[in-house]
Amino acid sequence: MATGRTHRPATRSRGIPEATVARLPLYLRALTALSERSVPTVSSEELAAAAGVNSAKLRKDFSYLGSYGTRGVGYDVEYLVYQISRELGLTQDWPVVIVGIGNLGAALANYGGFASRGFRVAALIDADPAMAGKPVAGMPVQHTDDLERIISDNGVSIGVIATPAGAAQQVCDRLVAAGVTSILNFAPTVLSVPDGVDVRKVDLSIELQILAFHEQRKAGEDAASDDGAPAPAVAKDHRKGPDGDVPAVMPA
Amino acid sequence: MATGRTHRPATRSRGIPEATVARLPLYLRALTALSERSVPTVSSEELAAAAGVNSAKLRKDFSYLGSYGTRGVGYDVEYLVYQISRELGLTQDWPVVIVGIGNLGAALANYGGFASRGFRVAALIDADPAMAGKPVAGMPVQHTDDLERIISDNGVSIGVIATPAGAAQQVCDRLVAAGVTSILNFAPTVLSVPDGVDVRKVDLSIELQILAFHEQRKAGEDAASDDGAPAPAVAKDHRKGPDGDVPAVMPA
DNA sequence: ATGTCTTTGTGAACGCGTGCACAAAGATGG
DNA sequence: CCATCTTTGTGCACGCGTTCACAAAGACAT
């Protein structure tokens, strides 16, 4: 997924493995759906099916949070919703800023998923002076000049970067300097941040490329031909090449 | 990431580990940047730094593709760009359809990252009759009724779902039935697909929730001292109990 | 040629995540 | 109170991924 994989190994999370943390939102979503249908309890088997995971894995995940189930019965839906929400920190309000109000940034601002669960879009920020003041998702866009003040005034600790790749690192540096310690990066760039700052990335083109790899694998299982020659400018010499094309020293 | 995480274990990928495949696009991006600056060769150390990974990991990743480096010198940039592109299947053209042209779908249609490398938006599809014919990103939106024909006519094997959660599974089923075998899902739902179909998901709210978890942990580190002791009070009788702690969670 | 220096490619150890399989815990019924 | 049935919680083994550390390969100078 998508997603982000640029986070620190920091698994000192007091016992809760990173892989488990990544699944908690999934469980929470399934539980919320059950809660809305007023289902009182659910077994690990049922919930696992709804979340698309193995039931043993789910039980082990919950065991890191404590023993919240009842043997012979299952888990209490409401209680579990509360526990997971608390563990994820969703019982408090997280003001978020979105920087870069282009197509994607605007779509994110309008996306309901943000506001729905403890997250509140505190400000929209863009570098284009022409955007300043224009309303997007019922909120005026503010100029980058005020970034530091906005972060500070609203106590923002989570920032979303939706700028072009070229501007991302600079924006990131300013966000971090202003006090942001968690960043969700949509720009196709590797961000470097100091220790203590978490970065997760969402990269559409990477996801597509991974799909293309598997797609190719599926399609060309027999037609393992090495397509037309797109004229590899540099033919090199790779001896152990499985295909056996053996070039010489690379030209300069 | 988005990563995406709902993909099958399908690691029978003829030797190339899934984790490596997920990093190839990252290397490719860094290499492309070097190529544009006409840098002829690059060492594993330099490239690893640019891609934000460990250099040993990078060398091992490349070793799965074959031996493309020259000891004492490094890797030939152009040649490596070609090899990785070929491995990822980017030397061919991948027609893609986007289903669900709301805020997010429209942003995706306009996103340059799609067209940039081997991917071509073949059609935009939406269920709203009012959208039909309206141009988005210089391309007329087509109605869901024609989904099967569009897939078939264009030989589409990759579909992007950007519909509301409620419609996602249904759209997914139709895509799969029409011949799509790779799906990139932006809807906040677990999709179930038959074997042989790959699904990757990008879920904004999940990413944010993971960040919130770490953010909360960072914030509460000051008072973490008392946390060292094994949590004894396992609230057992919280079960639907004295309502004192009612979940403060919200739906949707 | 020979030696030195750089950088790759990889063997091996380690740690994390996953899933099986089962004992313990509690519900339920007689 | 005992027997049986359901479902949790987890010990254990296995496999994947990461990282270290080093020998081998080639470049380059003398």
Side-chain angles (χ1 to χ4, degrees):
Chain A
M1 214 177 78
T3 313
R5 247 134 248 101
T6 315
H7 52 296
R8 304 134 350 91
T11 315
R12 71 183 189 302
S13 314
R14 213 255 291 27
I16 303 184
E18 191 60 31
T20 295
V21 173
R23 280 188 294 267
L24 290 181
L26 220 52
Y27 302 145
L28 182 57
R29 179 176 294 158
L31 285 164
T32 302
L34 291 172
S35 173
E36 283 168 1
R37 285 167 34 207
S38 299
V39 176
T41 62
V42 66
S43 71
S44 63
E45 205 72 50
E46 294 168 319
L47 186 54
V53 303
N54 181 292
S55 70
K57 192 188 297 184
L58 179 143
R59 289 196 299 275
K60 184 153 292 189
D61 283 342
F62 286 173
S63 79
Y64 291 118
L65 307 184
S67 292
Y68 296 147
T70 304
R71 300 180 189 222
V73 176
Y75 298 91
D76 180 82
V77 173
E78 294 299 326
Y79 186 62
L80 205 43
V81 164
Y82 170 68
Q83 288 300 335
I84 295 179
S85 295
R86 193 172 55 88
E87 196 68 45
L88 286 173
L90 304 181
T91 51
Q92 53 184 288
D93 183 69
W94 295 104
V96 173
V97 295
I98 302 176
V99 185
I101 313 302
N103 283 315
L104 184 57
L108 294 176
N110 280 295
Y111 183 57
F114 270 93
S116 64
R117 281 175 207 281
F119 301 98
R120 179 173 52 83
V121 178
L124 306 179
I125 303 178
D126 199 282
D128 182 2
M131 290 287 296
K134 281 178 67 176
V136 171
M139 176 175 280
V141 175
Q142 303 183 63
H143 192 266
T144 317
D145 287 347
D146 297 325
L147 188 146
E148 285 76 11
R149 184 185 52 74
I150 295 167
I151 300 292
S152 174
D153 286 1
N154 294 280
V156 172
S157 55
I158 300 179
V160 176
I161 297 179
T163 66
Q169 181 64 58
Q170 193 175 359
V171 166
C172 172
D173 291 343
R174 287 183 65 183
L175 286 174
V176 170
V180 166
T181 48
S182 286
I183 291 177
L184 183 53
N185 180 33
F186 286 86
T189 320
V190 177
L191 293 180
S192 70
V193 294
D195 277 4
V197 176
D198 282 295
V199 176
R200 294 191 67 85
K201 71 164 186 290
V202 174
D203 196 313
L204 316 183
S205 86
I206 284 185
E207 298 302 322
L208 275 185
Q209 290 176 39
I210 295 172
L211 285 177
F213 171 84
H214 292 296
E215 200 58 38
Q216 177 178 238
R217 184 57 43 87
K218 279 183 257 179
E221 203 97 288
D222 49 349
S225 63
D226 42 0
D227 60 290
V234 180
K236 283 216 357 193
D237 132 5
H238 51 132
R239 41 257 150 236
K240 353 183 158 181
D243 299 326
D245 79 323
V246 183
V249 186
M250 79 184 357
Chain B
M1 217 110 6
T3 200
R5 253 145 249 99
T6 313
H7 53 297
R8 293 134 356 82
T11 314
R12 59 103 156 75
S13 311
R14 215 260 281 46
I16 303 184
E18 192 59 31
T20 294
V21 172
R23 280 188 295 268
L24 290 182
L26 221 53
Y27 302 145
L28 183 56
R29 179 176 294 158
L31 285 164
T32 301
L34 291 172
S35 173
E36 282 167 2
R37 284 167 33 207
S38 300
V39 177
T41 62
V42 65
S43 70
S44 64
E45 204 72 50
E46 293 168 319
L47 186 54
V53 304
N54 181 291
S55 70
K57 191 188 296 185
L58 179 144
R59 288 196 299 275
K60 182 150 289 191
D61 283 342
F62 286 173
S63 78
Y64 292 117
L65 307 183
S67 293
Y68 296 146
T70 304
R71 299 178 191 224
V73 176
Y75 299 91
D76 180 81
V77 172
E78 293 300 326
Y79 187 61
L80 206 42
V81 164
Y82 169 68
Q83 288 300 335
I84 294 179
S85 294
R86 191 172 58 88
E87 197 68 45
L88 286 173
L90 303 182
T91 52
Q92 54 185 288
D93 184 69
W94 294 104
V96 173
V97 295
I98 302 176
V99 185
I101 314 300
N103 284 314
L104 183 57
L108 294 177
N110 280 294
Y111 182 57
F114 269 93
S116 67
R117 224 172 245 298
F119 300 99
R120 180 173 51 84
V121 178
L124 306 179
I125 303 177
D126 198 282
D128 182 1
M131 290 288 295
K134 280 178 67 176
V136 171
M139 175 175 281
V141 174
Q142 302 184 64
H143 192 265
T144 316
D145 288 346
D146 298 325
L147 188 146
E148 284 77 10
R149 182 185 53 72
I150 295 167
I151 301 292
S152 175
D153 286 0
N154 294 279
V156 173
S157 55
I158 300 179
V160 177
I161 298 180
T163 66
Q169 181 64 58
Q170 194 175 357
V171 165
C172 173
D173 291 343
R174 287 183 65 185
L175 287 174
V176 170
V180 166
T181 47
S182 286
I183 291 176
L184 183 53
N185 179 33
F186 285 86
T189 320
V190 177
L191 292 181
S192 70
V193 295
D195 277 3
V197 176
D198 282 295
V199 176
R200 295 191 66 86
K201 71 164 188 291
V202 174
D203 196 313
L204 317 183
S205 87
I206 285 185
E207 299 301 323
L208 275 183
Q209 289 175 41
I210 295 172
L211 284 178
F213 171 84
H214 292 296
E215 199 59 38
Q216 182 184 46
R217 190 167 44 76
K218 279 183 253 178
E221 210 138 68
D222 3 351
S225 34
D226 63 281
D227 213 79
V234 180
K236 296 203 67 169
D237 30 9
H238 264 135
R239 217 163 310 301
K240 79 189 63 164
D243 63 314
D245 52 84
V246 182
V249 202
M250 43 265 108

